[in-house]
Amino acid sequence: MFNAIILTAYPEMFPGNLSYSLIGKALKEQKFNLETIDLRNFGVDQRNSIDDEPFGGGPGMILRPDVVEKAVLSIKIDPQKNTERIYLTPAGKLANQAKLGNFSKLDNLIILCGRFEGVDQRAIDVLNFEEISIGDYVLAGGEIAAQVLLEGCIRLIPGVLGQPESLLEESFSNNLLEYPQYTRPKVWEDTKKVLHEVPEVLTSGNHEKIKEWRYKESIKKTKVKRPDLYIKKEQDK
């Protein structure tokens, strides 16, 4: 079973979004396990401090390496199990669908959530944390980023989604964005009294033509919105 272990100064933020919808159902059905470890339990001095001022000066505070190490060493898992440690940071390698797929196959994924100005680099290097980013922007901490990354992993676990075949056609599969989707009403009249119809092929009942249309729309959408993905798809050929 996929086991997510979160190192955080704010364990009360979990499970957060992971307690809702299909992901929340999977958590209740124990299709994955979520554990939080409070970094403040390993703080120093009478205040249980977990951070300190950066050497060399500068704003903000830095998570101490000794605190992170003690938190990591408190984790009791089978050393034979497939385990990875990641630190969520804007400076990390950008996560993608393939990366999430690899994570979802692990026995244990240990996630360090940064706060303040970050984590002492020695802790990241010595404890073998892989630096991962969910995007080119900065958040106040890694907790929301951890929930984003975990949702992306957990939905890939067999049995979590009601229709697993949908994973084969969604965005980023085969380096393509997903085709446009439509539902009822077949003809929609907006507030400006303009009529908008569903593409006729989708109501034709001809599954081969529908499949062909969807593929062409995926190609078209990817060329316009993510030409980098389209180039990669062409190179993969």
Side-chain angles (χ1 to χ4, degrees):
M1 182 171 64
F2 179 80
N3 184 39
I5 304 170
I6 313 297
L7 306 176
T8 172
Y10 298 96
E12 63 274 14
M13 292 181 70
F14 292 88
N17 291 340
L18 301 175
S19 63
Y20 294 91
S21 190
L22 292 176
I23 307 298
K25 181 182 178 184
L27 180 59
K28 290 179 181 178
E29 294 177 350
Q30 298 185 334
K31 291 177 180 175
F32 74 97
N33 181 60
L34 179 64
E35 177 184 352
T36 56
I37 294 178
D38 190 347
L39 290 171
R40 298 186 188 278
N41 291 336
F42 306 94
V44 298
D45 64 41
Q46 294 181 340
R47 298 174 55 194
N48 289 328
S49 299
I50 63 173
D51 59 343
D52 212 323
E53 297 176 352
F55 284 118
M61 304 289 277
I62 308 295
L63 279 174
R64 295 172 55 113
D66 48 351
V67 170
V68 176
E69 181 188 42
K70 286 187 286 186
V72 169
L73 293 179
S74 74
I75 301 171
K76 306 301 180 186
I77 53 177
D78 185 344
Q80 301 301 317
K81 295 292 186 180
N82 195 7
T83 302
E84 287 193 28
R85 300 171 184 169
I86 65 172
Y87 165 52
L88 291 167
T89 167
K93 184 177 180 180
L94 192 63
N96 57 30
Q97 193 70 9
K99 194 72 171 175
L100 297 186
N102 292 335
F103 286 153
S104 72
K105 296 179 177 67
L106 294 171
D107 296 306
N108 303 292
L109 181 61
I110 300 171
I111 302 177
L112 173 60
C113 299
R115 274 280 157 179
F116 321 116
E117 285 298 307
V119 176
D120 189 299
Q121 189 64 42
R122 292 170 295 178
I124 298 168
D125 297 339
V126 171
L127 298 169
N128 296 316
F129 280 96
E130 180 182 2
E131 297 183 69
I132 295 291
S133 169
I134 65 165
D136 295 336
Y137 49 87
V138 179
L139 301 175
E143 286 76 16
I144 298 299
Q147 292 179 33
V148 169
L149 185 137
L150 282 175
E151 179 168 318
C153 294
I154 293 161
R155 63 189 300 278
L156 299 176
I157 297 173
V160 171
L161 293 186
Q163 296 179 314
E165 63 272 14
S166 66
L167 294 173
L168 301 176
E169 296 183 345
E170 64 186 7
S171 290
F172 305 111
S173 295
N174 302 314
N175 292 316
L176 287 176
L177 299 181
E178 190 175 18
Y179 47 80
Q181 298 276 19
Y182 299 88
T183 187
R184 292 183 178 87
K186 182 180 177 181
V187 179
W188 166 52
E189 183 179 358
D190 65 23
T191 56
K192 296 180 180 178
K193 303 301 181 181
V194 177
L195 298 180
H196 306 271
E197 294 190 40
V198 172
E200 186 176 350
V201 64
L202 297 179
T203 60
S204 67
N206 188 323
H207 297 293
E208 283 300 316
K209 287 192 174 297
I210 290 172
K211 184 177 180 180
E212 181 182 351
W213 179 88
R214 285 175 168 171
Y215 181 73
K216 288 180 178 179
E217 288 298 313
S218 287
I219 292 287
K220 185 191 305 182
K221 189 174 182 180
T222 306
K223 276 185 175 181
V224 173
K225 295 190 174 184
R226 288 294 302 272
D228 57 313
L229 283 180
Y230 180 74
I231 291 172
K232 186 176 180 181
K233 178 177 177 59
E234 290 299 295
Q235 290 172 341
D236 288 346
K237 287 182 180 179

